[in-house]
Amino acid sequence: MQWPKVKGTILFSPRNGQQEEKALLHAARLLKEGELLAFPTETVYGLGADALDPVAVSRIFRAKGRPADNPLIVHIAGIEQASELVRELPPEAALLARYFWPGPLTMVLPKSERVPDICTAGLSSVALRVPSHPLALRLIRAAKVPIAAPSANISGSPSPTTAAHVLADLAGRIAAVLDGGACSVGLESTVVSLLSSPPAILRPGWVTQEMLEKILKCSILDLSTVDNKDDKQGPALSPGMKYRHYAPKAPLILVEGEGDDQRSQLLALTEGFVMQGRKLGLILSQESKAFFSAPVVEILGSRNDPATVARRLFNALRRMDYQGVEVIVVEGFEEKELGKAVMNRLRKAAVKIIGSESKGGVLWTKS
Ligand code: AMP
Ligand code: MG
């Protein structure tokens, strides 16, 4: 079967079961040959390589421009595949796997010798996940190897939630993309470390602190807000936490808070930028739509529907760049449950955060 290519990168876009079978076989072969393949998961598109092949894994870092000290998540098809990759599997891991795998939960566990150091950026732990997207699961089974995969974007830019996003960043730099449609979760997995007791959330996601606490029947630490950017002493808890992430090219200003306070801040900024003649992009909730206008507006969804907001977030950030806006103003959302993950990504993407507590004052500007 002849698949189309974009700048030399094969685009597998199967339209029926038979084509899917062919695409998966070809894709699995590429992985076994040490090539890079972007594939769909329910969270975001991953940029995969054979996790047991250090040369293949090194290509991920090169293609993305990813710092070598930022470890990768290793994707497996089921918990039975974990045994060769970890030194031990604590009972908490088995319990969480029973409830959340396949699904958007990554567990950090003590690594075995089998996992190459480059995969874990030299750490003695490995991050494991079983994705629930059917194509991802079939791909891992067909390749018969664990697949190391960070998000399939240029390091620092918004994560890709469609095959088109992947091609926009990586066409010509990777062997192929497997198109599986738009991602249903749209935000990266929750990362929980089981190295500590109690376990600790390193990155918030669709699986919330409350959900983990309910299953484990203990309180879980939330370390995702600990800013270890300037930590030059000792290894970072989760090295990925220190980098600016998810950022569109145009500077992004995040307006936190709620109600009238937040709305008047948004209005002041919007009017200011429009008066200056800057091409402004606004990212808003459904509820705020009627109150503002700007050259480019993206509506994420209702404030009562964080799942839709999460699913649309990265696409909205990318559309700002595709439409050439000069500055982006984003309405902040309530920071509870899934809203925590949305606000975590927005804060990392922002150059400036405006809060309501300080009566509209700038809370801080990132250096
Ligand atoms: P990405 O794949 O780019 O979405 O990011 C993977 C996330 O998992 C990053 O925040 C990493 O720092 C984190 N991670 C991967 N492996 C480990 C590990 N062994 N210990 C702590 N965090 C990890
Ligand atoms: Mg990423």
Side-chain angles (χ1 to χ4, degrees):
M1 167 130 199
Q2 200 59 19
W3 301 101
K5 285 189 178 173
V6 182
K7 294 189 195 161
T9 296
I10 303 170
L11 173 61
F12 297 117
S13 44
R15 289 185 212 296
N16 54 45
Q18 203 185 6
Q19 290 187 2
E20 250 174 39
E21 209 48 51
K22 288 209 164 101
L24 283 167
L25 278 177
H26 192 160
R29 194 168 71 235
L30 289 172
L31 285 171
K32 278 195 277 207
E33 288 166 359
E35 299 284 352
L36 300 185
L37 169 87
F39 63 99
T41 81
E42 73 281 17
T43 60
V44 302
Y45 273 71
L47 179 58
D50 176 352
L52 304 180
D53 175 350
V55 176
V57 173
S58 74
R59 293 193 176 118
I60 293 180
F61 288 90
R62 202 165 343 121
K64 280 184 59 105
R66 184 176 174 104
D69 66 352
N70 194 357
L72 309 176
I73 293 172
V74 176
H75 295 71
I76 52 179
I79 192 162
E80 47 314 323
Q81 222 181 339
S83 53
E84 65 162 349
L85 306 173
V86 299
R87 248 183 298 126
E88 60 161 303
L89 201 65
E92 292 87 352
L95 190 57
L96 291 178
R98 204 152 61 203
Y99 279 89
F100 298 112
W101 280 2
L105 179 70
T106 296
M107 293 192 237
V108 176
L109 295 160
K111 95 170 184 71
S112 77
E113 301 276 292
R114 282 280 276 163
V115 184
D117 286 340
I118 186 168
C119 234
T120 65
L123 297 175
S124 56
S125 56
V126 61
L128 294 184
R129 180 166 103 83
V130 177
S132 69
H133 195 295
L135 283 182
L137 281 174
R138 287 167 64 193
L139 176 73
I140 303 167
R141 290 198 191 104
K144 298 192 179 71
V145 285
I147 301 178
S151 50
N153 53 292
I154 293 287
S155 211
S157 74
S159 300
T161 55
T162 65
H165 295 163
V166 176
L167 287 170
D169 275 20
L170 297 175
R173 290 168 169 256
I174 61 177
V177 185
L178 174 59
D179 188 350
C183 300
S184 59
V185 172
L187 288 185
E188 302 83 352
S189 58
T190 305
V191 179
V192 65
S193 169
L194 297 181
L195 303 178
S196 61
S197 183
I201 292 178
L202 305 180
R203 177 173 73 187
W206 188 91
V207 175
T208 62
Q209 184 172 359
E210 293 79 5
M211 288 155 90
L212 294 170
E213 287 179 339
K214 203 167 152 198
I215 301 302
L216 292 182
K217 298 193 175 59
C218 70
S219 54
I220 307 270
L221 300 175
D222 181 1
L223 299 181
S224 66
T225 52
V226 176
D227 190 353
N228 59 0
K229 229 181 0 237
D230 300 323
D231 180 11
K232 299 209 170 59
Q233 271 127 59
L237 285 169
S238 181
M241 288 159 82
K242 68 186 173 182
Y243 294 107
R244 184 158 178 248
H245 258 108
Y246 323 116
K249 292 193 185 73
L252 186 155
I253 302 171
L254 173 62
V255 181
E256 299 197 353
E258 53 186 63
D260 290 347
D261 229 21
Q262 188 187 32
R263 206 159 267 168
S264 53
Q265 276 303 318
L266 284 166
L267 206 57
L269 279 171
T270 304
E271 284 175 351
F273 286 127
V274 171
M275 255 160 54
Q276 286 170 18
R278 314 256 314 259
K279 185 168 179 185
L280 169 68
L282 274 180
I283 300 183
L284 300 170
S285 68
Q286 183 64 39
E287 287 80 358
S288 295
K289 187 178 172 182
F291 295 90
F292 305 96
S293 78
V296 179
V297 180
E298 285 288 325
I299 304 300
L300 294 180
S302 166
R303 293 181 74 86
N304 304 317
D305 182 7
T308 300
V309 169
R311 187 165 58 244
R312 292 184 182 160
L313 177 65
F314 287 136
N315 186 54
L317 293 178
R318 280 180 176 264
R319 283 183 58 81
M320 293 291 143
D321 281 343
Y322 298 160
Q323 296 185 72
V325 308
E326 291 170 271
V327 60
I328 305 167
V329 173
V330 185
E331 174 182 345
F333 287 79
E334 194 185 357
E335 201 171 11
K336 83 167 205 249
E337 295 166 357
L338 184 52
K340 272 192 196 165
V342 170
M343 290 305 285
N344 167 272
R345 307 309 189 271
L346 281 172
R347 287 190 183 134
K348 283 184 193 262
V351 295
K352 192 181 268 192
I353 299 177
I354 295 177
S356 57
E357 300 96 308
S358 53
K359 287 269 171 288
V362 171
L363 269 187
W364 50 277
T365 304
K366 291 186 173 179
S367 52

